[in-house]
Amino acid sequence: MDNVLEIKNLHIDVKKDDSTYNVVKDVNVSIGKQQIYGIVGESGSGKSLTALSIMGLLANPPLHVSKGSIQFEGDRELLDMSFKEMKKIRGKEISMIFQEPMTALDPLFTIQDQLMEALKFHTKLSKSEMKQACIDIIERVGIPRPKEVLKDYPHQLSGGMRQRVMIAIAMLCNPKLLLADEPTTALDVTIQAQILDLMKELREDFETSILMITHDLGVIAETCQRVAVMYAGEVVEESDVVSLFHSPKHPYTKGLLKSMVSGNRHDDLYSIPGKVPSVEQMPSGCRFATRCPHVMDICHTQTPPVQEVEADHTCQCWLYQEELVKNG
Amino acid sequence: MADPLLKIEELETFFPIKSGIFKRTVAHVKAVNNISFDIKEKETFSLVGESGCGKSTLGRSILRILEPTGGKVLFHNKNILNYSSSELRKLRRDVQLVFQDPYSSLNPRMSVRELVSEPLFTHFSISKEEANQQVDEMLEKVGLPLEQAERYPHQFSGGQRQRISIARAFILKPKFVVADEPVSALDVSIQAQILKLLMQLQEEFNMTYLFISHDLNVVKHISDRVGVMYLGKMMEMTDTDSIYEEPLHPYTQALLSAVPKSDPLEEKERVILKGDVPSPANPPSGCPFHKRCPKAMEECTTIEPEFKEVKENHYVACHLY
């Protein structure tokens, strides 16, 4: 198996006032070597929680993984690892970048200090070697005047530069997997294009796999090879990117694609009616049933099974189970 | 053609940079630098540009939420920059603002009914019953269930909150609304709902919009004309179709090419801009864009291009034309 990461049957629950609610349900994701894998969904769909559980960074309590496994490089089970073991993996073999580069960087330390921190922890380089490594990586992520920037504090840099620094810190130890949680959401389009290009380049140079989490289907179309669409904690559809954009199966995916605001002024704007259900009021059958234009009786009572509707293209919807429905 | 509702002439908003123990003004940030355009009645004019280009400052200067340092803003042919505070107060009935962030722009201690009726009590002497009736009508128009009128902002989602903000701004039936990134904080599926609502209300109340956004897809959908700003200057201005089909300014071309594609198979020619927007406190000489411009020429570094009409109703500030 040459998958870098395999998530199987991942369930995440949240405890709230003595009751437990399910927020991520039965997520299965496999990320291949050097692949850019996208998870797309609205706020509250559980996409960030999935990424945090890979890093072992779920805020526990109230959140915890109740079931499932996350296997890294085939044989290492991340969910069974101790805090100490995870610390050795985080930042070295798996690293993560976040949406808001200002809050993710420490305002009291220079860029060099923050890069050195990771190197000191994970490598046994001498001080001058470390410094050289810092300069190299800062140059590699396209920051001009690397020597001066290293002495700067985060507030002296622009949003795009900060995100480049975040990427530099993440790539410093040449990780096998990079988790990118909405890396370009806070940036302008011109800077977003720069950062996405940089990430694609780095994936090739460093042979890294990337898990790209975003709410923007444009970012998915731009970068990813495979995509999972999440809704209310479930993966409702999973396929390669071309198949997803050209023959979407799940009514939610179809709605999302239709509501991408593009085309011209004279076209009618499409929007999915209603809103994502809250965790306390999760529908018992299909979680999308309350907003679905093709809803049937069975959708309200039973959760649809995940089914392969085309080669390598799965979908969780009763529409593709018609025989089953007819036979009761 | 009808008289423009709003005419902006050579508007300037400069912020002083103070330094030293006497806090002497050493320089200015030219957030809005000599901008002129007009907005016709019932039109939607959009301002686009990267963060820090001055688009929000321009929107606020027009409403005198920020005081401009020079130029004129003519609303119905009267310069509102000369208005006294009582005249300005009356003007506020006709001009309103919708903010970007529906989380911080609503007072958390006021119920929806209080929030939406507040402008009525500020501007008119009106009985509680009349106000309640108007609030009910407005809530229905923006699609908020009446039984939720006694709830507080934290009980609503982002999209619902933006509906409250819209109801609050529109209850006075203004003639002109500045919408400052009204959908940027919302999810894609909700964005379309709010845009639709804004377009519906415009039709119903015959309103004129100044729409501020960094999202070119959103702008394409809602606007009649578009102005592209960079470092406090207007770079290009024309109707929506021409700006997308035939952008003239290299900056507009780069902005458009940076929009992520909507289909993975689409082949797209990319103009990737190098570097960031320069600091507006210290803008480059000549054309403000020349340091990032792929087509920069000798004269761009020294002479500032004039903002001129190169085709019918198509204005550009660039030496190429």
Side-chain angles (χ1 to χ4, degrees), chain A residues 81-324:
Chain A
M81 282 193 187
S82 68
F83 187 73
K84 243 179 151 178
E85 287 172 305
M86 267 322 281
K87 238 177 143 176
K88 282 187 194 146
I89 287 185
R90 277 200 289 262
K92 185 162 193 246
E93 295 181 85
I94 307 178
S95 43
M96 185 158 180
I97 53 177
F98 300 90
Q99 173 174 356
E100 199 18 92
M102 190 61 215
T103 44
L105 291 169
D106 191 325
L108 297 179
F109 291 91
T110 62
I111 303 304
Q112 177 162 327
D113 291 338
Q114 312 203 28
L115 283 159
M116 289 284 224
E117 190 189 0
L119 283 176
K120 276 183 204 154
F121 190 85
H122 290 298
T123 66
K124 291 195 181 89
L125 297 173
S126 74
K127 207 160 182 194
S128 60
E129 282 171 322
M130 280 200 260
K131 202 159 177 199
Q132 192 53 46
C134 292
I135 295 175
D136 290 347
I137 194 82
I138 284 286
E139 225 168 9
R140 184 65 203 79
V141 296
I143 296 178
R145 305 176 291 112
K147 280 185 187 147
E148 288 135 70
V149 171
L150 281 175
K151 294 191 192 105
D152 281 347
Y153 288 88
H155 75 269
Q156 293 170 289
L157 304 176
S158 66
M161 284 297 161
R162 283 183 212 138
Q163 198 55 286
R164 284 176 195 268
V165 169
M166 280 298 297
I167 294 174
I169 296 174
M171 299 309 288
L172 202 51
C173 297
N174 199 353
K176 302 198 175 73
L177 177 65
L178 175 67
L179 310 177
D181 189 358
E182 304 261 14
T184 58
T185 308
L187 306 175
D188 279 315
V189 269
T190 55
I191 311 295
Q192 165 168 295
Q194 292 175 0
I195 298 287
L196 292 181
D197 265 32
L198 173 69
M199 290 180 73
K200 284 193 272 189
E201 271 172 46
L202 291 175
R203 170 187 68 120
E204 270 164 39
D205 291 6
F206 289 74
E207 298 183 356
T208 304
S209 311
I210 298 177
L211 178 65
M212 178 76 79
I213 292 166
T214 178
H215 69 276
D216 187 344
L217 280 162
V219 171
I220 297 279
E222 202 70 54
T223 54
C224 298
Q225 281 107 47
R226 278 196 85 77
V227 203
V229 180
M230 281 189 83
Y231 181 79
E234 291 178 314
V235 174
V236 293
E237 184 160 1
E238 205 261 359
S239 90
D240 68 277
V241 69
V242 178
S243 176
L244 188 95
F245 277 77
H246 286 270
S247 69
K249 294 288 182 280
H250 198 281
Y252 178 64
T253 315
K254 288 180 187 169
L256 263 191
L257 282 167
K258 262 211 263 177
S259 60
M260 273 175 96
V261 184
S262 61
N264 68 54
R265 174 181 169 75
H266 315 292
D267 289 348
D268 200 20
L269 268 176
Y270 178 82
S271 60
I272 305 172
K275 58 175 188 187
V276 184
S278 66
V279 282
E280 290 98 340
Q281 293 159 344
M282 207 53 90
S284 55
C286 170
R287 291 182 170 184
F288 188 57
T290 49
R291 300 174 77 187
C292 184
H294 305 290
V295 66
M296 302 175 285
D297 290 341
I298 191 168
C299 305
H300 291 295
T301 50
Q302 286 180 52
T303 308
V306 177
Q307 202 201 8
E308 192 162 9
V309 283
E310 268 173 26
D312 255 356
H313 189 148
T314 59
C315 174
Q316 184 178 18
C317 181
W318 282 117
L319 283 179
Y320 302 95
Q321 298 277 324
E322 276 168 46
E323 278 89 77
L324 260 175

